[in-house]
Amino acid sequence: MSTAGISEHPPIYDRLVRERGDVLAETRKAAEQAQAQAQRALDWSGLGRAQERKERAFSAFG
């Protein structure tokens, strides 16, 4: 079978999108949001700066 006759989105795909919504686009958006949330959760770059400020604010000698 040749791929020349196969379109990017077959006609049934367009009908399903109209009936059910664009599940692929919604899934892609949810994955991007989850990835951004995970990136923020795993970003510990500010932790060192917060600890430094805490240590400067506290001094055992006065």
Side-chain angles (χ1 to χ4, degrees):
M1 175 180 223
S2 171
T3 58
I6 299 174
S7 66
E8 185 175 332
H9 295 293
I12 193 169
Y13 179 82
D14 293 329
R15 189 175 122 221
L16 286 170
V17 167
R18 282 193 308 273
E19 291 176 4
R20 308 278 183 178
D22 194 347
V23 176
L24 296 177
E26 292 172 18
T27 303
R28 189 177 304 110
K29 182 178 178 180
E32 290 169 353
Q33 290 173 345
Q35 185 177 18
Q37 183 180 7
Q39 188 174 10
R40 286 189 304 271
L42 296 173
D43 180 13
W44 294 12
S45 61
L47 188 60
R49 290 188 295 272
Q51 183 64 28
E52 288 173 10
R53 286 192 303 270
K54 186 177 173 182
E55 289 173 358
R56 278 184 291 193
F58 175 78
S59 174
F61 301 108

